[in-house]
Amino acid sequence: MRILYVEDNADSREVMGIYLGLVGYNAVMVSNASEALELAKKNGFAAILLDNWLAQGSGVDLCKQIRGFDPVTPIIFCSSSAYKTDIQAAM
């Protein structure tokens, strides 16, 4: 199964990519929202993992854009952000 992982931190991307590979997923890793949006439009993914804080904007904004054309693919936020307002916005 293919998973799209969007994370602007190179170390976090690498660690998550290794982990996802070890548990049997084919992870497609990108560092920015525009590349993620392009891939999400062109390719089917089993799930999309998003960081909330991206260099080009927020994961919440990217999630809204993806939901505009894909209402069914599971989207999971993988973020160290624990602010209640961020959690509410992601929900």
Side-chain angles (χ1 to χ4, degrees):
M1 291 197 308
R2 291 173 18 113
I3 292 180
L4 177 61
Y5 180 53
V6 187
E7 169 62 68
D8 56 352
N9 181 283
D11 291 337
S12 296
R13 264 195 328 273
E14 183 177 351
V15 169
M16 184 64 84
I18 291 169
Y19 175 74
L20 290 170
L22 287 173
V23 296
Y25 292 100
N26 176 12
V28 176
M29 317 292 257
V30 297
S31 62
N32 61 69
S34 59
E35 189 175 0
L37 193 58
E38 182 179 325
L39 286 171
K41 285 180 180 178
K42 293 180 181 178
N43 301 287
F45 291 97
I48 300 172
L49 305 179
L50 299 178
D51 180 23
N52 192 41
W53 300 102
L54 300 169
Q56 294 180 334
S58 78
V60 171
D61 291 338
L62 177 56
C63 179
K64 289 176 184 177
Q65 291 176 307
I66 293 170
R67 283 291 176 243
F69 61 86
D70 180 355
V72 297
T73 300
I75 297 176
I76 301 166
F77 282 87
C78 295
S79 180
S80 61
S81 177
Y83 296 110
K84 189 172 185 175
T85 56
D86 292 334
I87 294 168
Q88 289 172 336
M91 297 303 278

